[in-house]
Amino acid sequence: MKAFRLDELEAERAANEGAYLQFLRERNMSVGLYALNAGEHDPQKPHNQDEVYFVVSGRASITVGMETTEVARGSVVYVPAGVAHKFHHISEDLRVLVVFSPPEA
């Protein structure tokens, strides 16, 4: 069993001074914590893996392909591999769990 605490993951991510912290990598998936602060730009490019985003906290919009929706705590968004996507109009600091399948390269 592997268990994680969000507050500890956030502290580790902040200590490493990066927006993304991968904290689990297995044969068929990887999981990380992604953080963007209010007003920040999301620099993501399309990934080669399917993704699921689970918004832990914050508020923003996300555009996936040609579709845009508002997200906030509790939102879940699926992004197919190869599809352009970005968070934008981040009005509250955003913390998102990201599941990649297969694992992020």
Side-chain angles (χ1 to χ4, degrees), residues 17-100:
E17 299 179 2
Y20 184 72
L21 171 70
Q22 179 178 278
F23 61 89
L24 179 65
R25 184 179 181 85
E26 296 295 333
R27 185 171 50 90
N28 294 317
M29 64 175 222
S30 61
V31 184
L33 177 64
Y34 190 46
L36 293 167
N37 292 327
E40 204 169 352
H41 169 75
D42 182 2
Q44 291 192 82
K45 304 275 189 234
H47 304 282
N48 295 324
Q49 306 83 3
D50 288 341
E51 293 178 80
V52 173
Y53 289 116
F54 173 74
V55 179
V56 175
S57 62
R59 185 173 299 279
S61 295
I62 186 171
T63 298
V64 178
M66 301 301 290
E67 296 180 86
T68 299
T69 191
E70 302 285 318
V71 294
R73 185 172 61 103
S75 297
V76 178
V77 177
Y78 167 69
V79 180
V83 175
H85 58 285
K86 291 212 184 292
F87 290 100
H88 52 93
H89 296 97
I90 303 167
S91 58
E92 296 175 16
D93 292 353
L94 195 61
R95 300 299 181 265
V96 182
L97 288 178
V98 184
V99 178
F100 287 98

